[in-house]
Amino acid sequence: MRIPKHVGIIPDGNRRWAQDKGMGKDKGYENGLDPGIESYRQLRDLGVEEVTFYGFTTDNTRRPSYQTESFTKACIEAANRLLDEGASLLVIGNSDSKMFPKELLPYTTRTKEKPGQIRANLLVNYGWYWDLNTLANAKGVNKNNIHNNIQSNDVSRLDLIIRWGGRRRLSGFLPVQSIYADFYVVDDYWPDFNKNHINEALAWYDQQDITLGG
Amino acid sequence: MRIPKHVGIIPDGNRRWAQDKGMGKDKGYENGLDPGIESYRQLRDLGVEEVTFYGFTTDNTRRPSYQTESFTKACIEAANRLLDEGASLLVIGNSDSKMFPKELLPYTTRTKEKPGQIRANLLVNYGWYWDLNTLANAKGVNKNNIHNNIQSNDVSRLDLIIRWGGRRRLSGFLPVQSIYADFYVVDDYWPDFNKNHINEALAWYDQQDITLGG
């Protein structure tokens, strides 16, 4: 089976999951933490080399504060659990903003992985325009080095993006790294994650003909 | 029914269609011309204001010359048919390259539409890196004006992208305008286009919850 090197995870549907359970919209995120570490372990064990989780965006921070506090707390906890696991962690997003949790500042440079672990990226207060913005100040940008000159230059090209929660859109997720990525949508909400989701996504990916635009 | 303002068309599967019919790979493109004008008319009549067709990319030009000649010829013909229809045509791509057909140079600035017609964009010798490249030379780029400073600034944000041929990837299609777009995949090959494809895509789009990342 052909295994993607880098998998993107869009863990959507937390609020809808909570509402369906009769809980407040903010209660979904804490139920997305176990899926986060389970999916990391599953992908690592399958031979994937890098995984990127869509935490929250600068767009998301316009939501009511009880929600922004809840997803910010979940991102801090997710980062700590990935560190405990021994992942090579990079937290990436606009850290100049007060919406970026200061607890995560140490991880805006990548940590070293423990033996047997892989690279894990967590987008926190990320914005696609923030990501591309550095192109304007870069010197000598040409078609071969755009990727090197964006904020997320330490995040590699994505092979496969899996989105939970049924929506078929990227919602600003790493536009440069997503250019050639295959996109798989799981209808279940993220807190209802189970290993079959990833197994099905990888079985589907295995059947795709990768051309990189050629 | 909520109608998208701007629809992107990725007309994929021309080569696979031709091979399935026992023809050479280059024979699919001419069979994609009628679908092009039919889809334009259908979207126009549904109230869509702008449609963008993915013609060919700078990546595609690495293919054997019998294929590049065939898809280049089909793009020239597609442009002429859209002009005959009276669309407000913009051909967009790297026109400094010899792969850009000189017949299309007059349309690298937008033509005026005839009454009752809409905007039609045709990507010809387009490259996502070519598109973003101008950001590096722009002055005063910030998060609010990235779109204004890319090559394709006269192409608006996409609401819905429909891809024929079963693949679930963007393949470099207008990365900035695709950020929030909903993505619908038709399994049939593009030369097998029929109006139900677009009707089904629009019925699906009508059910989506548009948040623009909020």
Side-chain angles (χ1 to χ4, degrees), chain B residues 175-195:
Chain B
V176 168
Q177 289 91 337
S178 297
I179 294 277
Y180 299 116
D182 279 299
F183 188 48
Y184 187 87
V185 175
V186 175
D187 284 330
D188 289 336
Y189 299 141
W190 174 247
D192 287 328
F193 168 86
N194 74 64
K195 289 192 170 183

Side-chain angles (χ1 to χ4, degrees), chain A:
Chain A
M1 191 157 142
R2 192 171 52 87
I3 297 292
K5 282 190 180 174
H6 183 188
V7 175
I9 300 278
I10 303 183
D12 195 26
N14 295 288
R15 291 187 293 174
R16 286 173 281 162
W17 180 91
Q19 284 186 297
D20 279 3
K21 301 269 184 200
M23 300 188 236
K25 280 188 181 178
D26 56 319
K27 300 301 180 197
Y29 302 110
E30 62 200 64
N31 288 285
L33 287 167
D34 285 343
I37 204 75
E38 284 168 32
S39 60
Y40 169 83
R41 288 174 180 162
Q42 185 180 359
L43 290 167
R44 175 199 65 197
D45 294 347
L46 284 163
V48 170
E49 297 171 15
E50 184 169 353
V51 54
T52 298
F53 296 95
Y54 211 4
F56 71 88
T57 65
T58 50
D59 290 330
N60 296 152
T61 62
R62 286 182 245 131
R63 294 180 187 167
S65 63
Y66 80 99
Q67 290 182 31
T68 61
E69 285 162 15
S70 179
F71 63 60
T72 302
K73 192 179 158 202
C75 281
I76 295 167
E77 179 66 16
N80 285 329
R81 291 176 72 169
L82 287 165
L83 285 166
D84 286 348
E85 194 75 8
S88 171
L89 180 69
L90 177 68
V91 175
I92 184 152
N94 182 0
S95 58
D96 294 335
S97 148
K98 67 179 197 294
M99 299 310 288
F100 189 94
K102 61 184 183 312
E103 295 88 337
L104 296 182
L105 284 171
Y107 314 116
T108 55
T109 52
R110 189 179 288 287
T111 67
K112 212 175 163 181
E113 78 260 33
K114 290 182 187 162
Q117 301 299 325
I118 61 171
R119 289 155 62 100
N121 312 309
L122 179 59
L123 306 192
V124 170
N125 202 39
Y126 172 87
W128 66 270
Y129 31 80
W130 168 83
D131 198 358
L132 297 183
N133 205 24
T134 42
L135 285 175
N137 303 314
K139 282 177 184 154
V141 171
N142 61 55
K143 71 172 191 174
N144 297 314
N145 65 10
I146 284 181
H147 190 166
N148 295 338
N149 283 288
I150 59 176
Q151 301 263 19
S152 62
N153 59 70
D154 192 23
V155 176
S156 73
R157 182 174 63 72
L158 285 150
D159 299 300
L160 172 65
I161 298 167
I162 314 176
R163 181 171 184 144
W164 276 257
R167 289 181 179 147
R168 306 186 204 164
R169 59 180 86 140
L170 289 172
S171 304
F173 185 63
L174 295 168
V176 168
Q177 289 91 338
S178 297
I179 294 279
Y180 300 116
D182 279 298
F183 188 47
Y184 187 88
V185 175
V186 175
D187 284 329
D188 289 335
Y189 299 141
W190 174 246
D192 286 329
F193 168 87
N194 74 65
K195 290 192 169 184
N196 286 336
H197 295 150
I198 284 180
N199 288 335
E200 285 159 15
L202 265 70
W204 171 80
Y205 176 79
D206 186 45
Q207 296 167 347
Q208 304 309 304
D209 172 35
I210 306 304
T211 62
L212 299 183

Side-chain angles (χ1 to χ4, degrees), chain B residues 33 37 73-83 89 122:
Chain B
L33 286 167
I37 204 75
K73 190 178 159 203
C75 281
I76 296 168
E77 179 66 16
N80 285 329
R81 291 176 73 168
L82 287 164
L83 285 166
L89 180 69
L122 180 60

Side-chain angles (χ1 to χ4, degrees), chain B residues 82-83 86-90 109-115 117-118:
Chain B
L82 287 164
L83 285 166
S88 171
L89 180 69
L90 176 68
T109 52
R110 189 180 288 286
T111 65
K112 212 174 164 182
E113 78 259 32
K114 291 182 186 161
Q117 301 299 325
I118 60 171

Side-chain angles (χ1 to χ4, degrees), chain B residues 143-195:
Chain B
K143 72 173 189 172
N144 298 314
N145 66 9
I146 284 181
H147 190 165
N148 295 336
N149 283 287
I150 59 176
Q151 301 264 18
S152 62
N153 59 72
D154 192 22
V155 176
S156 73
R157 183 174 62 71
L158 285 150
D159 299 299
L160 172 65
I161 298 167
I162 313 176
R163 181 170 185 144
W164 276 257
R167 289 180 180 148
R168 305 186 204 166
R169 60 179 85 141
L170 289 172
S171 304
F173 185 64
L174 295 169
V176 168
Q177 289 91 337
S178 297
I179 294 277
Y180 299 116
D182 279 299
F183 188 48
Y184 187 87
V185 175
V186 175
D187 284 330
D188 289 336
Y189 299 141
W190 174 247
D192 287 328
F193 168 86
N194 74 64
K195 289 192 170 183

Side-chain angles (χ1 to χ4, degrees), chain B:
Chain B
M1 191 158 142
R2 193 171 51 87
I3 297 292
K5 282 190 182 174
H6 183 189
V7 175
I9 299 279
I10 303 183
D12 195 26
N14 295 288
R15 291 187 294 174
R16 286 173 282 162
W17 181 89
Q19 283 185 297
D20 280 4
K21 301 268 184 200
M23 300 187 239
K25 281 188 182 179
D26 56 319
K27 300 302 179 196
Y29 302 110
E30 63 198 64
N31 289 285
L33 286 167
D34 285 342
I37 204 75
E38 284 168 31
S39 60
Y40 168 83
R41 288 175 180 162
Q42 185 181 359
L43 290 166
R44 175 199 66 196
D45 294 348
L46 284 162
V48 170
E49 297 171 13
E50 184 169 355
V51 55
T52 297
F53 295 95
Y54 210 5
F56 71 87
T57 65
T58 49
D59 290 330
N60 297 153
T61 62
R62 285 181 248 132
R63 294 179 187 167
S65 63
Y66 80 100
Q67 290 181 30
T68 61
E69 285 162 16
S70 179
F71 64 60
T72 302
K73 190 178 159 203
C75 281
I76 296 168
E77 179 66 16
N80 285 329
R81 291 176 73 168
L82 287 164
L83 285 166
D84 286 347
E85 193 74 6
S88 171
L89 180 69
L90 176 68
V91 175
I92 185 154
N94 183 1
S95 57
D96 294 336
S97 147
K98 68 178 199 289
M99 299 310 286
F100 189 94
K102 61 184 183 311
E103 294 88 337
L104 296 182
L105 283 171
Y107 314 116
T108 55
T109 52
R110 189 180 288 286
T111 65
K112 212 174 164 182
E113 78 259 32
K114 291 182 186 161
Q117 301 299 325
I118 60 171
R119 290 155 61 100
N121 312 309
L122 180 60
L123 305 192
V124 170
N125 202 41
Y126 173 87
W128 66 270
Y129 31 79
W130 169 83
D131 199 358
L132 297 183
N133 204 24
T134 43
L135 285 175
N137 303 314
K139 282 178 186 153
V141 172
N142 62 54
K143 72 173 189 172
N144 298 314
N145 66 9
I146 284 181
H147 190 165
N148 295 336
N149 283 287
I150 59 176
Q151 301 264 18
S152 62
N153 59 72
D154 192 22
V155 176
S156 73
R157 183 174 62 71
L158 285 150
D159 299 299
L160 172 65
I161 298 167
I162 313 176
R163 181 170 185 144
W164 276 257
R167 289 180 180 148
R168 305 186 204 166
R169 60 179 85 141
L170 289 172
S171 304
F173 185 64
L174 295 169
V176 168
Q177 289 91 337
S178 297
I179 294 277
Y180 299 116
D182 279 299
F183 188 48
Y184 187 87
V185 175
V186 175
D187 284 330
D188 289 336
Y189 299 141
W190 174 247
D192 287 328
F193 168 86
N194 74 64
K195 289 192 170 183
N196 287 335
H197 294 151
I198 284 182
N199 288 335
E200 285 159 15
L202 265 72
W204 171 81
Y205 176 79
D206 186 45
Q207 297 168 346
Q208 304 309 304
D209 172 35
I210 306 305
T211 61
L212 299 182

